[in-house]
Amino acid sequence: MWLLNDRRPLKVAQNTIVPNHDSEYVISSFRTEEGLVLPQATIRYSTYGTLNGDGSNVILVPAYYRGQRGGYTFWIGPGMALDTEKFFVIETEMFGNGKSSSPSNAVEQFYGPRFPFTSIRDNVKAVHELLVNGLGVRRLKAVAGFSMGGQQAFQWPLSYPGFVEKIVSSCGAAKTYGHGYVRLEGQIFALVADKTFNSGNYGIPPRAGIDAFSMVWGGWLWSQEVWRRELWKELGIATFEGALQSRRAAFALSDANDLIHQARTWQRHNVGDTPGFEGDIELALKSIDIPVLYITSRSDLYFPLGDAEYEISHLSKGRLAIVDSVWGHPAGSGTTSDEDFNFVSSEIAKFLSS
Amino acid sequence: MWLLNDRRPLKVAQNTIVPNHDSEYVISSFRTEEGLVLPQATIRYSTYGTLNGDGSNVILVPAYYRGQRGGYTFWIGPGMALDTEKFFVIETEMFGNGKSSSPSNAVEQFYGPRFPFTSIRDNVKAVHELLVNGLGVRRLKAVAGFSMGGQQAFQWPLSYPGFVEKIVSSCGAAKTYGHGYVRLEGQIFALVADKTFNSGNYGIPPRAGIDAFSMVWGGWLWSQEVWRRELWKELGIATFEGALQSRRAAFALSDANDLIHQARTWQRHNVGDTPGFEGDIELALKSIDIPVLYITSRSDLYFPLGDAEYEISHLSKGRLAIVDSVWGHPAGSGTTSDEDFNFVSSEIAKFLSS
C-alpha cells in the first residue's frame, strides 16, 4: 500500500513468516456500542509462534486501516520485534476490512450502507470475545499496533483493565482530534461526490470517487519533504507521474462502503468515550496504569508530534520514541527505510523485554 | 475566506481603506506561454495612495488564490505595512478569479473548459503590460504578495530583471514542489468525481464536487494543533460542526472551472521554467540579485518551512522571517491573530524602509 515491495528494508523483504493458523471467529448476536445487533459478527485472525505453558507469551496485533492477515510482516517473525520464537502472536482484522464482517460481505439486511457503525471499542470487544471464548486466552503480554492498530491498543486497558500488561502504539493515538476528522471527511466527501456512489447503493463501483479518495489520501501519506526531494525514487518509482499514479491507485481494489466504514471508525475514536469517562480524554489517559510505548514519526501528518506530546503528558508510564524520518505516517511501521525499521524494531523489542 | 470578520486583528477590522481607483485593463491578442491567443485579456486592478513625482513609490500587490480587489486590507492602508501615505499601491487580480479573464466570464470560444491554461508567468506578463502601457509605470519599489501572490512576486525579477527593487513573498514559494501538486490534485479529483462537472461542460454547478474540493482544502488550511486545541473558537465558531461547515462552504459561491483553472496555475509554478533556466529552480533563485523578504509560517502545510529554508539557501539577498504561529498558511497574511499581524506587518515595513 505505501511501499513498493522491491525497496522494503532487507529484513522485511527476507521475512518469510506465514501464520501457523488462519481462522475466523463468529460471534452470535453481537451488539454494537450504538445498540444495533449483528446476528453473526465475524473476526478473521491468524496466529504465529507457539503458546507457552502458562499462557504468558501472548501478543495481540490488531490490524490498521484496510489491514489483512500478513499485514504485520514488518514486526512479526523470528528475530523480529515481535519474535515468534518467544511470543505467540495473534493478528486480528478489523470490521469493515472486507474480510472480517464488513459492509461488502454482509447479508442483505446489513449489506453496504445498511451495515452498522462499529467503533474502535466494538472491535476491541469482539477481539476480546475471540481471545477469551475462542482461544482461551486469559491475559495479554502486550497489544501492539500501528496506526488504527495503535488506536485499538489504547482502548484495551480501558475496556478490559488488568487484561493487558503493556501496550505499544506506533503512529496511532488515543483520540482522533478535529484535524483527523476533517482530513478523513475530505476523503469521504471526495468519494461520495461521485454520484455513482448513490448513498452506498451502487451497482457498479464508484471508480472516480475511489480514485479521488485515494488521491486526497496521497497528499497526507508522506511529508512535504519527500516530495520536494523526490525521495519516491528510493521506492523504485522512476517519475513524478509514476508517484502520482501510485497514489491514485492506492485503494483501486477496495469497496467504497468498506473504505467509508473504517474511515468513520477512525474519525470517531476517543478512549475518553469509554463508559465512566464522559468523553474526557485526559481522565481516560490518566487511568492507564500500565507501561505504554508511544512511537511517533516526526513528520507524520495524520498523528502529529504535538498530539503525541499532549497525550503522553497524561500517561503515568509512557515512553515517547520519535522516529526521526521524513517518511511521514508509514515511518511508524518501519517499512520506509532501514534506519526507520531498526529504530522501530529495537524500541519495541527493548520495551517488551524490559 | 479563512477568518470570520468579527475576530480579525483590530487593526485589520478598523482599516477602512478603499481604492481610489478601480479599473480593468484590456490587452489585445494576449499570447499565453503555451502559445494560445486570447483576443482580449482583461486584468482587473485597483490603486491606493498617490504616485509621487518621480514615480519611485509604486508597490505592486498581486492577488492570491481567488483573491479580488480589497483582498489585501490586512497590508494596505494608512499606517499599515504597505502605507498608503507613502506608497502608491497597485492591486491586481489573477486570471481565473472570475473577474479578470476567467473560464467563467470568457466569450463562447474560450468559455469554461476551453479557457487556455495561464501560468504565473502569464499573469506577470499581463500585469507588466498594464503597468508599462496602461499606467506608465517604469519601475516598482516592490512586489509584495501572499500565497499565490508571493509566487508572482518571485517571478517578477526573473521575467523583468531590473524592473523591481525588492520583493516580499509571504507563505508563497518560487516553485510548487511535488507535495503542492498532489495536494491540489486531490482537490481537483474530488471536484471532478462529481459527474455533474461533465469535463467542465456543466449546466448546473457541481455542488457536491465543490463541497468536496472545499472540505479537502479544509484539512490543509490550519495546523493540526488548531484542531486539537479547538482554536476555531477564537474565530467566533461555537461548535466543531460549525468549524466543519465553515470549511465545506469555503468555495460555495465559486465557479468550478475557475477553481480548477487557478489550481492548475498554482500546480505548475516554477520560476526555473523561465526561459534560460531550463527548469533549474536553484539556478533561477541564484539569479535573483535583489533583496527578498521571505516570510513563512512555522505551521504552514502548503508551503512548509523546509521548502522555505531550501529556497532561501539559494538567494543571495534573502531574509527569512518565520511567523511563530499555529494558524498554518493564513498566518502569513497576518489575519490570524494580533501577534501574527504585528509580526508580519513590522517585518514588511522594516524591509521596505531599509
Side-chain angles (χ1 to χ4, degrees):
Chain A
M1 185 165 89
W2 53 68
L3 199 76
L4 298 192
N5 285 345
D6 59 344
R7 298 298 174 108
R8 285 176 301 181
L10 195 61
K11 280 206 169 178
V12 179
Q14 289 177 341
N15 181 15
T16 56
I17 187 84
V18 289
N20 48 27
H21 182 68
D22 281 333
S23 195
E24 294 182 342
Y25 182 71
V26 179
I27 304 164
S28 297
S29 299
F30 182 80
R31 188 183 192 83
T32 69
E33 195 169 48
E34 291 197 336
L36 284 144
V37 177
L38 282 169
Q40 294 205 310
T42 300
I43 290 290
R44 200 165 79 142
Y45 69 98
S46 305
T47 69
Y48 307 79
T50 310
L51 186 65
N52 65 9
D54 61 356
S56 65
N57 71 335
V58 187
I59 294 182
L60 172 69
V61 189
Y64 43 83
Y65 186 78
R66 309 294 303 143
Q68 296 184 10
R69 59 174 55 141
Y72 274 104
T73 51
F74 46 78
W75 287 358
I76 303 170
M80 303 283 283
L82 307 180
D83 190 345
T84 46
E85 295 182 347
K86 294 185 201 164
F87 302 117
F88 179 61
V89 181
I90 303 169
E91 181 185 24
T92 54
E93 303 183 34
M94 292 181 77
F95 290 134
N97 81 332
K99 302 296 180 180
S100 288
S101 290
S102 302
S104 67
N105 65 15
V107 296
E108 184 58 22
Q109 188 190 351
F110 298 102
Y111 186 77
R114 296 183 289 282
F115 196 80
F117 168 76
T118 59
S119 65
I120 290 286
R121 263 177 303 284
D122 288 326
N123 277 278
V124 167
K125 176 181 158 187
V127 171
H128 184 258
E129 293 201 25
L130 155 68
L131 295 183
V132 173
N133 301 328
L135 300 174
V137 171
R138 287 288 169 267
R139 69 179 202 270
L140 290 169
K141 180 168 176 63
V143 182
F146 165 67
S147 195
M148 285 183 86
Q151 293 188 321
Q152 290 167 82
F154 274 114
Q155 185 59 46
W156 271 90
L158 286 146
S159 287
Y160 302 101
F163 197 86
V164 184
E165 290 172 34
K166 294 177 175 182
I167 63 175
V168 176
S169 170
S170 187
C171 290
K175 177 179 173 179
T176 300
Y177 299 95
H179 185 267
Y181 192 100
V182 174
R183 174 176 58 76
L184 291 160
E185 196 69 4
Q187 295 178 213
I188 294 170
F189 264 61
L191 199 164
V192 308
D194 182 348
K195 290 175 177 54
T196 308
F197 179 71
N198 190 27
S199 304
N201 299 295
Y202 39 86
I204 53 165
R207 289 256 64 84
I210 292 173
D211 284 357
F213 181 97
S214 308
M215 188 57 84
V216 175
W217 193 296
W220 295 107
L221 187 68
W222 301 322
S223 78
Q224 295 93 336
E225 189 87 357
V226 166
W227 291 100
R228 193 186 76 247
R229 293 167 58 194
E230 301 186 349
L231 297 180
W232 34 262
K233 287 178 180 169
E234 295 184 7
L235 309 182
I237 302 174
T239 63
F240 178 66
E241 288 65 33
L244 276 184
Q245 173 57 20
S246 74
R247 295 304 95 224
R248 189 180 73 80
F251 297 105
L253 301 177
S254 298
D255 174 75
N257 285 315
D258 287 353
L259 286 172
I260 292 175
H261 179 87
Q262 288 202 327
R264 294 279 181 226
T265 302
W266 189 335
Q267 281 182 315
R268 291 168 60 178
H269 171 54
N270 179 5
V271 298
D273 288 333
T274 308
F277 297 99
E278 295 173 0
D280 190 326
I281 177 67
E282 297 183 6
L283 262 185
L285 287 169
K286 283 186 180 112
S287 81
I288 297 177
D289 59 358
I290 58 172
V292 177
L293 175 61
Y294 198 132
I295 302 174
T296 186
S297 158
R298 188 178 297 288
S299 55
D300 190 348
L301 293 170
Y302 308 4
F303 298 104
L305 183 55
D307 290 358
E309 289 170 337
Y310 165 73
E311 291 193 345
I312 202 133
S313 73
H314 297 287
L315 288 169
S316 59
K317 295 178 184 168
R319 170 179 164 72
L320 184 64
I322 303 170
V323 193
D324 195 11
S325 175
V326 297
W327 282 105
H329 182 65
S333 69
T335 56
T336 41
S337 72
D338 284 325
E339 293 71 30
D340 297 347
F341 175 80
N342 291 336
F343 179 83
V344 171
S345 298
S346 73
E347 282 290 334
I348 296 174
K350 271 189 297 183
F351 177 74
L352 293 177
S353 66
S354 68
Chain B
M1 184 165 88
W2 53 67
L3 197 75
L4 297 192
N5 285 344
D6 59 344
R7 296 298 175 107
R8 284 176 301 179
L10 195 61
K11 280 207 170 178
V12 179
Q14 290 177 340
N15 181 14
T16 56
I17 188 85
V18 290
N20 48 27
H21 182 68
D22 281 335
S23 194
E24 294 183 341
Y25 183 71
V26 181
I27 303 165
S28 297
S29 298
F30 182 79
R31 187 182 194 84
T32 70
E33 196 168 48
E34 290 197 335
L36 284 143
V37 177
L38 282 169
Q40 294 204 310
T42 300
I43 291 290
R44 200 165 78 141
Y45 70 98
S46 305
T47 69
Y48 307 79
T50 309
L51 186 65
N52 65 8
D54 62 355
S56 64
N57 71 334
V58 187
I59 294 181
L60 173 69
V61 189
Y64 42 84
Y65 187 79
R66 306 296 303 146
Q68 296 185 9
R69 61 174 53 142
Y72 273 104
T73 51
F74 45 77
W75 287 359
I76 303 171
M80 303 282 283
L82 307 180
D83 189 344
T84 46
E85 295 181 348
K86 291 185 200 164
F87 302 119
F88 179 62
V89 181
I90 303 169
E91 182 186 25
T92 55
E93 301 182 37
M94 292 181 78
F95 290 133
N97 81 330
K99 303 296 181 179
S100 289
S101 289
S102 300
S104 67
N105 65 15
V107 295
E108 184 58 22
Q109 188 189 350
F110 297 103
Y111 186 77
R114 296 183 290 283
F115 196 80
F117 168 75
T118 58
S119 66
I120 290 285
R121 263 178 304 286
D122 288 326
N123 277 277
V124 167
K125 176 181 157 188
V127 170
H128 184 258
E129 293 200 26
L130 155 68
L131 295 184
V132 173
N133 302 328
L135 300 174
V137 170
R138 288 288 169 266
R139 69 179 202 268
L140 290 169
K141 180 167 177 65
V143 181
F146 166 67
S147 195
M148 284 183 88
Q151 293 189 321
Q152 291 167 82
F154 274 115
Q155 186 59 47
W156 270 90
L158 287 147
S159 287
Y160 301 102
F163 197 85
V164 184
E165 291 172 35
K166 294 176 174 181
I167 62 176
V168 176
S169 170
S170 187
C171 290
K175 178 179 173 179
T176 300
Y177 299 96
H179 185 267
Y181 192 99
V182 174
R183 174 177 57 78
L184 291 161
E185 197 69 5
Q187 295 179 213
I188 294 170
F189 265 60
L191 199 164
V192 308
D194 181 349
K195 289 174 177 56
T196 308
F197 179 71
N198 189 28
S199 304
N201 299 295
Y202 39 86
I204 53 164
R207 289 257 62 86
I210 292 174
D211 284 357
F213 181 97
S214 308
M215 188 58 84
V216 175
W217 193 295
W220 294 107
L221 186 67
W222 302 322
S223 78
Q224 295 93 337
E225 189 89 358
V226 166
W227 291 99
R228 192 186 78 248
R229 293 167 58 193
E230 302 186 348
L231 297 181
W232 35 261
K233 288 177 181 169
E234 295 186 6
L235 309 182
I237 302 174
T239 63
F240 179 64
E241 288 64 35
L244 276 184
Q245 173 57 20
S246 75
R247 297 303 94 225
R248 190 181 73 81
F251 297 106
L253 301 177
S254 298
D255 174 75
N257 285 315
D258 287 352
L259 286 172
I260 292 175
H261 180 87
Q262 288 202 326
R264 293 281 181 225
T265 302
W266 188 336
Q267 282 182 314
R268 291 168 61 178
H269 171 54
N270 179 5
V271 298
D273 288 333
T274 307
F277 296 99
E278 293 173 1
D280 190 326
I281 178 67
E282 297 184 5
L283 262 185
L285 288 168
K286 284 186 179 113
S287 81
I288 297 176
D289 59 358
I290 58 171
V292 177
L293 175 60
Y294 199 131
I295 301 174
T296 187
S297 158
R298 189 178 297 287
S299 55
D300 190 348
L301 293 170
Y302 308 3
F303 297 104
L305 184 55
D307 291 358
E309 288 170 338
Y310 165 72
E311 291 194 344
I312 201 133
S313 74
H314 296 289
L315 288 169
S316 59
K317 295 179 185 169
R319 170 179 165 74
L320 185 64
I322 303 170
V323 193
D324 196 11
S325 175
V326 296
W327 282 105
H329 183 65
S333 69
T335 56
T336 42
S337 72
D338 283 326
E339 293 72 27
D340 297 347
F341 175 79
N342 291 337
F343 179 83
V344 171
S345 298
S346 73
E347 282 290 334
I348 296 174
K350 271 188 295 182
F351 178 73
L352 292 177
S353 66
S354 67

